[in-house]
Structure formats: C-alpha cells, structure tokens
Amino acid sequence: MRNLTPKKMRLLSAMQNKDKNKFGCIWIEPTLRCNANCRMCLRKELVGNRHLSPEDDLSFEDFKKIISKIPYPILRIHLQGNGEPFLNKDIFEMIKYCVSKNIVVGITSNGTLINEDMSKKIIDSGLDFLGISIDAIDKEFYEELRPGYPFKSLLNNLETLMSVKSKTKAELLVAMYVVVTEHNKNDLDRFLTFAHQFGFDGFVYQPLSCKPIFTESYDKDFYNDNIDILTHRLGEIIDIKKIQSYAESLGIYGIPAEECVMRWKDLYVTFDGYVTPCCFIPATPMGNILTQDFDEVWNSRRFKEFKQKILEHKLPEQCKGCPRELDFDEVIKVLDNE
C-alpha cells in the first residue's frame, strides 16, 4: 500500500484486532438523517414516517456519555450508521474527542458534502480513516443510484479532498467502498483503476445483503435472479485473487468485506442510544446505553440469548440472510473469556 506510515499501520492494526480484553470497534451512528435517497439503502425502512430534524441527531454530550460507559479499552470508533455523518453539526468535535482519547476514529460517507471547506475540516480534525461509498463510476448509473447528485460533483469533491490531503501531507487513510450489484459485478478492476487515479489508499468491496429488511429496499434490477450469488457466492462470478493482486500492483489495499464483525467484540449504537451486536441488525436493540448501565445492556436477557445461540453453533434469527461469514469458533473464543 502506498505511504504505509506508522499512523496508517496503527489504523490497520486496530481494524484487525482480536484482543478479547478490548473492544475492536464501537460503531456509533451520528444521525439517521441523510441528504441522499440512494436506491438500495434501507434507511427509508428505518425512518418510516418520522420527520427527523438536526435536533434528533446524536449530541456531543451523549456521544461522550456513550464512550464513558464502555468499561473496556476501545481501539477504534467508527462514526457511521444509516445516515450521512457529516450532517451532524458536532461531528468534528466527536472526531477530535476520539483523537484526544487516543482512539482510532473513522467515518464512512457518501462523499456528496465534501467540498473544500469540509475537506479542510476533515484534515484539521485528525480523522484517521475516511471511507467513501461510491458504488458506480459511470455517470448514468451513479446519477440513477443517487438521484439529484451529479457525477461531476462527486469527481470535483474527490479531487478537492485529495488535493487538500496532498498539500497538508495528512496521514488520513481514504478508502473507496463498493457494494457489488448486478450492475457493477464485472467492473471491479475499473473501480480499482478509478481509485488509483484519485489517490485512494484502500478499496473495500462487499456483497449485497439478502436480509429481508435490506431486500425490501432494493429495486429488483440490482440483483435480478442472482441474489444468492451476489450475497453468498461472489467467488463464482468474481476472481477475488485477481482483484487482490491488481490492487496490490496499484499500491492499494483491497479488502473483501466477508467476515462477521461481531467476532471481534464490536458493538453498534444508534443515534438514539440503542445497542445491537452489529450495524446489520439496527432494528434489534439489546438495550439503550444512554438510559442503562453498560453491564445491564451487555448482560440483558436478549443479548444472552443471542450469544447462547452462537455458543451452540446456531445462527441467531437476526443474522439469517447476512452475507458476512460467521466463524462460530472465533466468536466462541471471545465469549468464553468474558
């Protein structure tokens, strides 16, 4: 990977952590609001008929409260959920707070708000990792995917961000995120070329999820009759080794997002404080960390039943349909040492 500095090595190490005595990552949702209406996003299923305003976003005080309640060392916090993180007015205070606590901090964004002013704020905040969800590099499909956002604007934003990053010699690690669909399954090499041209450090590609809450949000032409292949058998239509090799030749780290994140003792916290084992099951709360003690949530009946299923090598109901591979033995190693 290009420019593998000590800071970037620390970030990659934190992303790969398996220390049973530490939380690998706490995913915290800054907001459920979004400035886009992407065709394959489940956000509309979660929002329903609610009208959300900036006052509904996670406040900086509640953000600090969440962190203070975790009784274990936290290696990494990822500010991501089912909204656009940069809409939260306190987002840069949250980032700076993580930096002050020596916690690796990242964000995943749709990239539409990253103009020159935003780029400078990102760099100045000390953010470690920025993932930008793109999913399409053809003008027609990108604008069909994200109605109202011209492809040219995305290109301008990327050029601006990378220019500011280069001028300031910032160690921010920037990765492109791609969800593999029927439309782009044959274009991953083109995505990598695009990523290299714009100076991305990483490339993360992930399969579609066939969990009902997701598929109810998809237009059928995202997967046609290939939902099983696109969710669980990507290796049948994508030469993963070839993609990895091409990424390495370009100096980009390429990551197929295949493994279950829960195996590293991660947690997901919604903008209003509800806790779930991961970001793929936001509608199944185990408790609320803003109104309950951590131990009360972690040892709740619902969480115990969830973990007991894993100890019995049974897939929890909430996980059925997820494209991520759950390694029961690895998760059990963590659970047995609690």
Side-chain angles (χ1 to χ4, degrees), residues 256-281:
E258 298 173 328
E259 297 177 332
C260 172
V261 296
M262 189 204 169
R263 60 182 286 186
W264 293 302
K265 209 171 182 179
D266 291 13
L267 282 180
Y268 178 73
V269 184
T270 66
F271 73 102
D272 44 2
Y274 287 98
V275 176
T276 76
C278 87
C279 57
F280 284 98
I281 48 176

Side-chain angles (χ1 to χ4, degrees), residues 27-284:
W27 300 71
I28 301 179
E29 179 179 63
T31 180
L32 190 53
R33 296 184 299 124
C34 193
N35 61 327
N37 188 27
C38 301
R39 288 176 54 202
M40 61 182 180
C41 181
L42 66 83
R43 179 181 164 275
K44 54 182 173 287
E45 303 293 334
L46 298 174
V47 173
N49 296 321
R50 286 183 292 174
H51 175 71
L52 297 171
S53 69
E55 287 69 35
D56 295 307
D57 292 351
L58 178 68
S59 70
F60 182 45
E61 291 306 312
D62 280 345
F63 174 76
K64 291 190 290 184
K65 185 177 181 180
I66 290 169
I67 294 176
S68 70
K69 284 194 170 186
I70 306 295
Y72 298 91
I74 302 171
L75 286 180
R76 183 166 63 103
I77 285 178
H78 202 81
L79 296 165
Q80 177 194 359
N82 290 289
E84 169 52 45
F86 288 120
L87 287 176
N88 188 308
K89 65 180 179 61
D90 294 327
I91 194 67
F92 292 108
E93 292 304 314
M94 295 177 186
I95 295 169
K96 291 174 183 177
Y97 186 75
C98 292
V99 173
S100 73
K101 296 291 185 180
N102 201 34
I103 300 172
V104 171
V105 57
I107 280 182
T108 301
S109 166
N110 60 32
T112 59
L113 299 175
I114 304 178
N115 55 24
E116 184 171 5
D117 181 60
M118 180 71 74
S119 296
K120 291 177 179 178
K121 289 180 178 178
I122 289 170
I123 299 301
D124 291 343
S125 70
L127 185 69
D128 293 295
F129 175 86
L130 174 62
I132 300 179
S133 298
I134 295 180
D135 304 318
I137 52 175
D138 294 310
K139 179 180 184 297
E140 181 179 355
F141 182 49
Y142 179 86
E143 294 177 358
E144 182 183 349
L145 184 68
R146 291 189 171 88
Y149 286 92
F151 185 59
K152 179 63 175 175
S153 295
L154 170 71
L155 300 183
N156 289 340
N157 287 354
L158 293 178
E159 288 174 353
T160 298
L161 172 67
M162 296 306 187
S163 174
V164 172
K165 178 188 172 188
S166 176
K167 288 177 181 177
T168 58
K169 298 182 179 180
E171 294 190 63
L172 172 69
L173 193 153
V174 185
M176 177 192 292
Y177 275 63
V178 177
V179 175
V180 181
T181 68
E182 185 69 17
H183 290 271
N184 63 22
K185 66 180 188 294
N186 297 319
D187 293 334
L188 293 189
D189 54 343
R190 291 182 57 225
F191 274 98
L192 275 168
T193 300
F194 180 95
H196 178 65
Q197 290 172 344
F198 277 91
F200 281 90
D201 301 287
F203 177 69
V204 182
Y205 55 101
Q206 54 194 5
L208 279 170
S209 173
C210 60
K211 290 170 63 63
I213 192 172
F214 285 84
T215 55
E216 289 166 6
S217 301
Y218 298 154
D219 288 337
K220 189 176 185 300
D221 64 356
F222 276 118
Y223 54 86
N224 290 340
D225 296 321
N226 293 325
I227 187 67
D228 184 54
I229 292 176
L230 289 169
T231 55
H232 293 291
R233 294 152 51 203
L234 267 186
E236 294 183 17
I237 57 174
I238 293 174
D239 189 335
I240 294 176
K241 288 185 177 180
K242 182 180 178 181
I243 293 297
Q244 296 292 96
S245 177
Y246 184 42
E248 290 176 10
S249 74
L250 296 175
I252 296 174
Y253 75 91
I255 301 176
E258 298 173 328
E259 297 177 332
C260 172
V261 296
M262 189 204 169
R263 60 182 286 186
W264 293 302
K265 209 171 182 179
D266 291 13
L267 282 180
Y268 178 73
V269 184
T270 66
F271 73 102
D272 44 2
Y274 287 98
V275 176
T276 76
C278 87
C279 57
F280 284 98
I281 48 176
T284 310

